[in-house]
Amino acid sequence: METRTVDTRERILDASERLFMAHGYEGTSMRQITGDAGVNLAAVNYHFGSKESLMQEVFRRRLDWLNEERMRVLDALEAEAAGQAVKPSAIVDAFFGTLLRMAGDENRGGMTFLRLLGRTLTEPSEFIRAFLAHEYKEVMDRYKEALFKALPEVPKAEIVWRFHFMLGATSYAIAGTDALRLVTDWQIEDEDSTDRMDRLVPRLMTFLLGGLRAQLPQF
Amino acid sequence: METRTVDTRERILDASERLFMAHGYEGTSMRQITGDAGVNLAAVNYHFGSKESLMQEVFRRRLDWLNEERMRVLDALEAEAAGQAVKPSAIVDAFFGTLLRMAGDENRGGMTFLRLLGRTLTEPSEFIRAFLAHEYKEVMDRYKEALFKALPEVPKAEIVWRFHFMLGATSYAIAGTDALRLVTDWQIEDEDSTDRMDRLVPRLMTFLLGGLRAQLPQF
DNA sequence: TTATGATTAAAACGAACGTATGAATCATAC
DNA sequence: GTATGATTCATACGTTCGTTTTAATCATAA
């Protein structure tokens, strides 16, 4: 009962991750998934119950670790700061850097999962929206509070918005690592695709911090 | 042949814009669209040929004006600069500000279209990706060149990436004008929803320019 | 007023969808 | 080796999908 089950479940989850990333939830059929995974059509309903539950499991498998890691890192930063405010750059790196570094970790989904996450955050079906809101709530609240403390001179509403802008920039940065040229037909000459992800992290971080710390707009 | 046809076409386009925005392309059925529009099921295929062509027309109806307007504004800026480089803030406002100001113009789709555009940029089906790439190519190239000229000390690859980050932040800012709390459960207290859009423009612009002009990352 | 072309309407098409069923096959424990 | 429960398999169910077809209805010009 060991290897068969585990293999089948994993194969389904891997194929789903790939296909949901490429074609979205509604655009991916169970027959594509089971065909790609090389398992029987009925296997998804046997192991996961339904397509919706499968989608949730695809996310849970990755997000559980990601959000726990984010909590751990922020815990460490706050312990180190010993009551003082944590630097904004450290908070941003803990949240977005931890996410981006998943791209290099194939065991945690790598680029495929990141791109799936990026696109799903803007195309949420009702059920997945509710699911993500629940999965993310705790972490979001922690980081929000940390930023409030780190930037006491910036109004809270402004911080919330800027966090949201950062999410968007990051989402596009991920989703568009090769989709960039698909929309814009741009090319970045002197880099091959392995370099690109390594350079993306400092590039994006610089951009995010520039935006986060920008001078307040005048009303 | 006048009012009937035009009405039916417009009613279909309006309903499609709403429904595609709310549920995505694959998640919206022709029966929902024609039901919502109050027209016969066959009307879509009669007037537009297919669901794909309908989707393209939904975008063309709005993007044609948007991209022409972006061209006009940039033309004016460059004429005014008389050979000198245009200020980055002016370029960013011409591109993103022009987009955001559509939100207040109900005749040009308003928030509904903006949110549709925002979500579609990250969830493109193959056919719509190709369509958008074609629709946007000319404008993108113009603005890219303008930014190269405006920021000669920043490497071109860096500018391309930052443009992409700005697109992402803007897309989220739009798509999330009320979806923010759906993912994060955040609330921005002291503002009602009419205020929110007006304040969003300067907020986002500040963020974008902060990111665009951030000090270069150290490799 | 009648002929003509454009539009709408009702109904049906085959294909694909997510899911359920019951038999076959597997691994394990006795 | 046989019984038992877990898993896989082939197949079918009922729905819904985008599209097509054919007839009815409308607006307009002769």
Side-chain angles (χ1 to χ4, degrees), chain A residues 119 121-122 129 133 137 158 160-161 164-165 168 171-173 182-183 185-186 188 203 206-207 210-211 215 217, chain B residues 119 121-123 129 133 137 158 160-161 164-165 168 171-173 182-183 185-186 188 203 206-207 210-211 215 217:
Chain A
R119 73 175 283 169
L121 287 179
T122 54
R129 179 156 36 197
K137 175 151 184 35
E158 209 71 32
V160 171
W161 274 111
H164 197 235
F165 299 154
S171 173
Y172 261 50
L182 296 175
V183 174
D185 217 24
W186 290 342
I188 294 165
R203 274 179 170 142
T206 306
F207 180 88
Q215 200 191 359
Chain B
R119 75 173 283 168
L121 287 180
T122 53
E123 57 144 339
R129 178 155 37 195
K137 174 149 185 35
E158 209 70 33
V160 172
W161 275 110
H164 198 234
F165 299 155
S171 174
Y172 262 48
L182 296 177
V183 174
D185 217 26
W186 290 343
I188 295 166
R203 275 182 169 142
T206 306
F207 180 87
Q215 200 192 358

Side-chain angles (χ1 to χ4, degrees), chain A residues 25-26 52 55-56 120-134, chain B residues 21-24 27 115 119 178-179 181-183:
Chain A
Y25 176 74
E26 316 264 10
E52 289 200 0
M55 180 68 154
Q56 291 181 17
T120 304
L121 287 179
T122 54
E123 58 145 340
S125 305
E126 202 51 46
F127 83 94
I128 201 107
R129 179 156 36 197
F131 173 75
L132 289 178
H134 173 267
Chain B
M21 179 271 284
H23 309 117
R115 292 175 59 188
R119 75 173 283 168
D178 74 358
R181 72 168 153 279
L182 296 177
V183 174

Side-chain angles (χ1 to χ4, degrees), chain A residues 10-25:
Chain A
E10 294 280 293
R11 291 167 66 85
I12 290 173
L13 288 172
D14 289 343
S16 302
E17 198 170 62
R18 274 197 308 273
L19 290 167
F20 287 150
M21 179 270 283
H23 310 118
Y25 176 74

Side-chain angles (χ1 to χ4, degrees), chain B:
Chain B
M1 140 203 173
E2 277 307 85
T3 60
R4 290 265 300 292
T5 301
V6 169
D7 267 359
T8 301
R9 278 182 60 96
E10 295 280 296
R11 292 166 65 84
I12 290 173
L13 289 172
D14 289 343
S16 303
E17 198 169 61
R18 273 197 309 273
L19 290 167
F20 286 150
M21 179 271 284
H23 309 117
Y25 175 74
E26 315 265 10
T28 304
S29 73
M30 317 233 59
R31 285 165 179 84
Q32 283 177 268
I33 293 170
T34 51
D36 236 55
V39 303
N40 188 269
L41 170 60
V44 169
N45 287 284
Y46 176 77
H47 285 284
F48 299 96
S50 69
K51 191 186 178 185
E52 289 201 359
S53 301
L54 167 61
M55 180 66 154
Q56 291 181 15
E57 193 54 39
V58 167
F59 278 100
R60 202 190 322 269
R61 175 169 73 144
R62 310 300 189 191
L63 288 183
D64 277 358
W65 176 86
L66 171 63
N67 284 334
E68 283 165 15
E69 178 71 9
R70 281 169 165 166
M71 285 295 200
R72 280 190 292 272
V73 175
L74 188 51
D75 283 341
L77 287 173
E78 290 182 339
E80 189 184 350
Q84 298 289 90
V86 181
K87 283 192 341 186
S89 62
I91 298 173
V92 169
D93 183 76
F95 192 90
F96 294 100
T98 301
L99 172 70
L100 289 169
R101 282 184 285 272
M102 284 179 79
D105 189 344
E106 228 39 66
N107 289 336
R108 300 217 154 80
M111 273 302 298
T112 304
F113 174 71
L114 257 61
R115 292 175 59 188
L116 170 62
L117 181 62
R119 75 173 283 168
T120 305
L121 287 180
T122 53
E123 57 144 339
S125 306
E126 202 49 48
F127 84 95
I128 202 103
R129 178 155 37 195
F131 172 76
L132 289 178
H134 173 266
E135 285 287 293
Y136 269 120
K137 174 149 185 35
E138 199 188 351
V139 178
M140 288 293 191
D141 285 344
R142 274 289 305 277
Y143 274 80
K144 187 183 63 171
E145 289 300 331
L147 282 175
F148 289 168
K149 206 170 163 187
L151 298 162
E153 76 285 5
V154 181
K156 292 185 177 183
E158 209 70 33
I159 291 178
V160 172
W161 275 110
R162 290 183 181 189
F163 202 139
H164 198 234
F165 299 155
M166 290 192 284
L167 271 172
T170 305
S171 174
Y172 262 48
I174 292 163
T177 297
D178 74 358
L180 214 179
R181 72 168 153 279
L182 296 177
V183 174
T184 63
D185 217 26
W186 290 343
Q187 201 113 317
I188 295 166
E189 308 82 9
D190 54 348
E191 302 179 8
D192 62 9
S193 61
T194 48
D195 274 351
R196 213 175 299 160
M197 196 63 207
D198 293 338
R199 304 199 180 200
L200 174 61
V201 180
R203 275 182 169 142
L204 179 60
M205 287 300 167
T206 306
F207 180 87
L208 295 182
L209 281 170
L212 177 62
R213 294 190 292 217
Q215 200 192 358
L216 280 177
Q218 320 296 351
F219 291 119

Side-chain angles (χ1 to χ4, degrees), chain A:
Chain A
M1 135 199 177
E2 276 306 82
T3 61
R4 292 264 300 292
T5 302
V6 170
D7 267 359
T8 301
R9 278 183 60 97
E10 294 280 293
R11 291 167 66 85
I12 290 173
L13 288 172
D14 289 343
S16 302
E17 198 170 62
R18 274 197 308 273
L19 290 167
F20 287 150
M21 179 270 283
H23 310 118
Y25 176 74
E26 316 264 10
T28 303
S29 73
M30 315 233 59
R31 284 165 179 82
Q32 284 177 267
I33 292 169
T34 52
D36 237 55
V39 303
N40 188 269
L41 170 59
V44 169
N45 288 283
Y46 176 77
H47 286 284
F48 300 97
S50 69
K51 191 185 179 185
E52 289 200 0
S53 302
L54 167 61
M55 180 68 154
Q56 291 181 17
E57 193 54 37
V58 167
F59 278 100
R60 204 191 320 271
R61 176 168 74 144
R62 309 300 188 191
L63 288 183
D64 276 0
W65 177 86
L66 170 64
N67 283 336
E68 283 165 16
E69 178 70 8
R70 281 169 166 166
M71 286 296 199
R72 278 191 293 271
V73 175
L74 188 51
D75 283 341
L77 287 174
E78 290 183 339
E80 188 184 351
Q84 297 290 90
V86 180
K87 283 191 345 188
S89 62
I91 298 172
V92 169
D93 183 74
F95 192 90
F96 294 100
T98 300
L99 173 70
L100 289 169
R101 283 184 285 272
M102 283 179 80
D105 188 345
E106 227 38 66
N107 288 336
R108 300 217 154 79
M111 275 301 299
T112 305
F113 174 71
L114 257 62
R115 292 174 60 188
L116 170 62
L117 182 60
R119 73 175 283 169
T120 304
L121 287 179
T122 54
E123 58 145 340
S125 305
E126 202 51 46
F127 83 94
I128 201 107
R129 179 156 36 197
F131 173 75
L132 289 178
H134 173 267
E135 286 287 292
Y136 268 119
K137 175 151 184 35
E138 199 188 354
V139 178
M140 288 293 193
D141 285 344
R142 274 289 304 280
Y143 274 81
K144 187 182 64 173
E145 289 300 331
L147 282 176
F148 289 168
K149 207 171 164 189
L151 298 162
E153 75 285 5
V154 181
K156 292 185 176 185
E158 209 71 32
I159 290 178
V160 171
W161 274 111
R162 291 184 180 190
F163 202 138
H164 197 235
F165 299 154
M166 290 192 286
L167 271 172
T170 304
S171 173
Y172 261 50
I174 291 164
T177 297
D178 75 358
L180 215 179
R181 70 165 154 280
L182 296 175
V183 174
T184 63
D185 217 24
W186 290 342
Q187 201 112 315
I188 294 165
E189 308 83 8
D190 54 348
E191 303 182 4
D192 61 10
S193 62
T194 48
D195 275 353
R196 212 176 298 159
M197 196 63 206
D198 293 338
R199 302 199 182 203
L200 174 60
V201 180
R203 274 179 170 142
L204 178 60
M205 286 300 166
T206 306
F207 180 88
L208 296 182
L209 281 169
L212 178 61
R213 294 190 292 216
Q215 200 191 359
L216 281 177
Q218 323 293 356
F219 292 117

